[in-house]
């Protein structure tokens, strides 16, 4: 077996968490300075193509709701197409 990682994602409608296993020890991924392991399930696209996720995206949602994706889990598995600020895509194509 290779020396890769196993990644687990708890994708919640409003909050999400990510953990990985490397070398047999599980590690929950935390955010920068705050150290939180559960972050808002929000993605925000800037005008210049950058992508913000988590609390940063949630904070920017107030200023740029048209460029923000929230609660996408509610649409996963539905045969409709959503309009993202960057491109038209199906719900399972959004990063969380």
């Amino acid at each position: 077996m290779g020396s890769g990682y196993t990644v687990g994602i708890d994708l919640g409608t409003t909050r999400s968490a990510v953990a990985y296993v490397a070398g047999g020890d599980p590690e929950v991924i935390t955010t920068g300075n705050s150290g939180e392991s559960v972050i808002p399930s929000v993605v925000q696209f800037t005008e210049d193509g950058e992508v913000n996720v988590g609390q940063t995206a949630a904070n920017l949602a107030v200023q740029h709701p048209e460029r923000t994706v929230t609660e996408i889990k509610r649409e996963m598995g539905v045969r409709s197409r959503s309009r993202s600020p960057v491109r038209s895509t199906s719900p399972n194509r959004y990063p969380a």
Side-chain angles (χ1 to χ4, degrees), residues 6-92:
T6 300
V7 177
I9 301 171
D10 178 3
L11 178 61
T13 303
T14 58
R15 313 244 335 137
S16 297
V18 179
Y20 67 95
V21 176
D25 296 323
E27 182 75 32
V28 175
I29 297 174
T30 59
T31 60
N33 295 332
S34 68
E36 290 189 47
S37 60
V38 179
I39 64 169
S41 301
V42 181
V43 178
Q44 190 266 343
F45 301 91
T46 66
E47 289 182 5
D48 56 354
E50 291 183 33
V51 179
N52 293 303
V53 298
Q55 193 60 54
T56 301
N59 293 344
L60 292 169
V62 175
Q63 296 171 331
H64 304 286
E66 72 285 358
R67 303 188 68 73
T68 306
V69 179
T70 61
E71 299 184 7
I72 196 65
K73 184 177 174 183
R74 295 185 192 281
E75 297 182 36
M76 293 177 97
V78 176
R79 288 193 169 269
S80 67
R81 294 186 69 79
S82 296
R83 185 81 186 148
S84 90
V86 177
R87 65 188 180 282
S88 179
T89 186
S90 57
N92 60 349

